[in-house]
Amino acid sequence: MKRALCRKASALLAALLLAGCAATPANPVQTEETAEATPAPAAEEAEKTAAAPTLRELTTVADGRCYLQSRIDDTAQIYLTTLDLTDGQQRVLCAKPGCTHSDESCWGRMLGNGVAQPKTVEVYTDGVRLYWILLTEYSHFSIGGVEPESAIFVTDLTGASCPPAQMLAGTPNYGGDFLQDNSYMDSRWFTDGETLWALVNSNPVEETGRQTMTTTLFHFVPAPAGSEVPYTARVVWQQGGDHGIDCMGLLDGQILLRLPVSGAGVGDFELRLLSADGTLGEPLLTYRDSDFREAVLLDGLWYTVPKDSTDLQCTDLRAGQTRTLCTLPLTQTPLDIQAGPAYEGRLVVDVSYNLEKERYVIDTATGSVTTLPATWTKDGVSPRAPLIRQVAGDRCLMMVGDQDRMLTTMGQDGGTYSFNSPVPIWAVTDFGAYLDGDQDWTVCTVLDPDGNM
């Protein structure tokens, strides 16, 4: 990792370094199975001069554009693209003059695909910058000789200013190599507008051979003078055990965690807030996983459908108050109930049966229920509602149908085979209008001939 960086990226990193110098170090590591807080050393307590930062989650949407890693032709190469949520046009995110987007020299070509090599690059945005996060892919750890690797690079919204492979191999990187235990599973990324936090789930193996589950909150803070990277990943909170910890989203700028109740049976959980400084709050709610058909945090409210009930309930976790919004008009015993997204006081609820799915819109103020029409027919048998993939502001990206397309592949015997395969049809629309029953969406113009995004 000794290649020189592009001047533009270096300037961005320097700006971030200056912005992050005011970041306050956080609490020490917490490693016990129990969730009890560990007091911070007196020196660190003295450094805390303000409340913990308010976090917001990094996403894949900014300025009406959705950032997608996608094929753009009939090869297996993956490129970073944008999809305009207004006109539905997909474009390669590449600022290289005259680029044909056909080989490794393209500034939008990612590090190959997951099948080709044991690495992955995730790209997120805070609306101002793009964060390119390089991680060794967990599913490839069994391959001999694969070493854990992680790094973060920052660009503006125009994209990379050199090939990503070169950019991510350069030094200094934003966070350097921070995943060391070769056990990465998944992560969620947050920012306070200056520095980054990452909530990482991993499953390291102990010396005895027993595999455990660990959740770690990293904060990327200014590195000491003379370091090879401008920022280092400091562990501000960590908890391990036999069961995993889920991130349910953000509540008032803090991370809402679902943790197993210490000492209780399997399936007993509690909701707690984890602040950016590593402080874990008291339980907001304790429940059994089997208590609900659905439980999800949306717009700061906890929506549930109790087991053996058709009532949709809403809990204000801050006040600890629960109210019944409505009774869902179920026509038979559901296989699955999913709530979300929520939009301007309206909540989408999908109910799946054996052969069909119904979609309702719930007015969260009045509890009124509206059934949305389902016009997409699968296999010519049962209507289906569009698949909502992304909602950003008042715009929505969704899969509105599919169509058969003849695909050709090569078999193990070297022969060529053709077959029909369904290709998704993507569209963009005004989400509020859709919730009113309008289906006048705009079908997307995608780059991949097979429709894969």
Side-chain angles (χ1 to χ4, degrees):
M1 303 177 71
K2 298 296 182 183
R3 301 181 186 177
L5 297 180
C6 302
R7 293 181 180 178
K8 186 176 183 180
S10 298
L12 277 168
L13 287 172
L16 284 172
L17 178 60
L18 291 173
C21 286
T24 302
N27 286 346
V29 181
Q30 187 176 27
T31 56
E32 297 297 323
E33 174 85 13
T34 176
E36 294 302 320
T38 301
E44 289 193 6
E45 287 293 340
E47 293 177 2
K48 293 182 179 180
T49 59
T54 298
L55 300 181
R56 64 179 186 272
E57 188 162 8
L58 299 185
T59 68
T60 56
V61 178
D63 295 332
R65 299 191 303 174
C66 184
Y67 294 86
L68 302 169
Q69 295 188 45
S70 169
R71 290 169 49 183
I72 65 172
D73 50 36
D74 57 3
T75 69
Q77 302 304 312
I78 305 297
Y79 292 78
L80 183 62
T81 70
T82 61
L83 185 73
D84 191 304
L85 296 183
T86 299
D87 62 18
Q89 294 285 328
Q90 186 184 21
R91 301 173 177 87
V92 177
L93 186 66
C94 174
K96 179 182 178 182
C99 186
T100 60
H101 317 309
S102 58
D103 55 38
E104 295 184 8
S105 67
C106 174
W107 295 353
R109 182 185 179 276
M110 307 299 289
L111 288 177
N113 55 45
V115 176
Q117 53 185 311
K119 297 178 181 178
T120 183
V121 180
E122 302 169 359
V123 180
Y124 300 103
T125 181
D126 59 3
V128 179
R129 313 171 186 88
L130 293 180
Y131 299 89
W132 305 63
I133 301 169
L134 171 68
L135 298 165
T136 306
E137 216 171 86
Y138 168 70
S139 60
H140 290 80
F141 285 167
S142 59
I143 299 178
V146 175
E147 295 295 329
E149 185 178 0
S150 57
I152 305 172
F153 207 90
V154 184
T155 70
D156 61 24
L157 295 182
T158 62
S161 51
C162 59
Q166 175 181 335
M167 177 182 72
L168 289 163
T171 56
N173 284 307
Y174 180 73
D177 188 7
F178 64 95
L179 295 179
Q180 301 287 341
D181 63 3
N182 217 7
S183 61
Y184 169 79
M185 294 175 64
D186 58 68
S187 57
R188 299 276 288 267
W189 293 83
F190 309 92
T191 181
D192 64 345
E194 294 182 346
T195 57
L196 288 180
W197 279 258
L199 187 71
V200 176
N201 282 317
S202 58
N203 59 344
V205 178
E206 296 180 339
E207 293 183 358
T208 60
R210 186 175 73 97
Q211 197 166 52
T212 61
M213 305 293 290
T214 299
T215 301
T216 306
L217 180 62
F218 292 99
H219 181 203
F220 295 86
V221 298
S227 298
E228 292 185 359
V229 294
Y231 281 72
T232 59
R234 177 174 182 170
V235 176
V236 297
W237 180 85
Q238 187 176 78
Q239 182 170 313
D242 295 327
H243 306 287
I245 296 174
D246 296 321
C247 173
M248 309 305 293
L250 289 176
L251 179 62
D252 296 334
Q254 300 181 70
I255 303 170
L256 184 67
L257 297 180
R258 187 184 81 152
L259 305 96
V261 178
S262 179
V266 176
D268 288 298
F269 295 97
E270 58 189 14
L271 300 179
R272 295 190 179 201
L273 287 176
L274 177 64
S275 66
D277 64 6
T279 301
L280 188 66
E282 294 298 318
L284 299 174
L285 182 70
T286 301
Y287 66 97
R288 287 194 61 81
D289 196 38
S290 58
D291 289 344
F292 303 116
R293 287 173 164 172
E294 168 68 329
V296 62
L297 180 74
L298 297 167
D299 285 354
L301 296 172
W302 183 248
Y303 292 96
T304 57
V305 178
K307 181 182 178 182
D308 300 327
S309 172
T310 59
D311 289 342
L312 175 64
Q313 297 183 341
C314 174
T315 300
D316 185 336
L317 293 175
R318 307 173 189 87
Q321 298 175 345
T322 300
R323 62 188 177 98
T324 298
L325 284 179
C326 66
T327 298
L328 297 174
L330 305 185
T331 59
Q332 52 185 295
T333 301
L335 295 178
D336 184 48
I337 298 176
Q338 293 185 340
Y343 175 80
E344 293 187 343
R346 290 184 285 179
L347 175 67
V348 176
V349 176
D350 288 338
V351 179
S352 299
Y353 300 110
N354 188 30
L355 294 175
E356 61 187 49
K357 182 165 70 174
E358 295 177 348
R359 174 166 289 168
Y360 305 109
V361 178
I362 316 298
D363 187 310
T364 58
T366 66
S368 63
V369 182
T370 302
T371 302
L372 282 184
T375 58
W376 171 21
T377 301
K378 179 177 173 58
D379 300 328
V381 178
S382 58
R384 299 176 66 189
L387 172 65
I388 300 172
R389 174 165 177 175
Q390 182 76 59
V391 177
D394 59 0
R395 302 298 295 176
C396 176
L397 169 66
M398 54 189 179
M399 180 180 173
V400 298
D402 55 33
Q403 59 185 2
D404 283 342
R405 182 170 298 180
M406 187 67 68
L407 301 180
T408 302
T409 186
M410 181 177 293
Q412 294 182 352
D413 59 358
T416 300
Y417 301 89
S418 297
F419 58 95
N420 280 323
S421 176
V423 174
I425 300 174
W426 297 98
V428 292
T429 189
D430 180 280
F431 193 49
Y434 169 71
L435 296 183
D436 290 333
D438 184 4
Q439 298 193 10
D440 185 23
W441 45 63
T442 300
V443 174
C444 296
T445 302
V446 298
L447 298 169
D448 177 14
D450 295 333
N452 294 311
M453 293 195 303

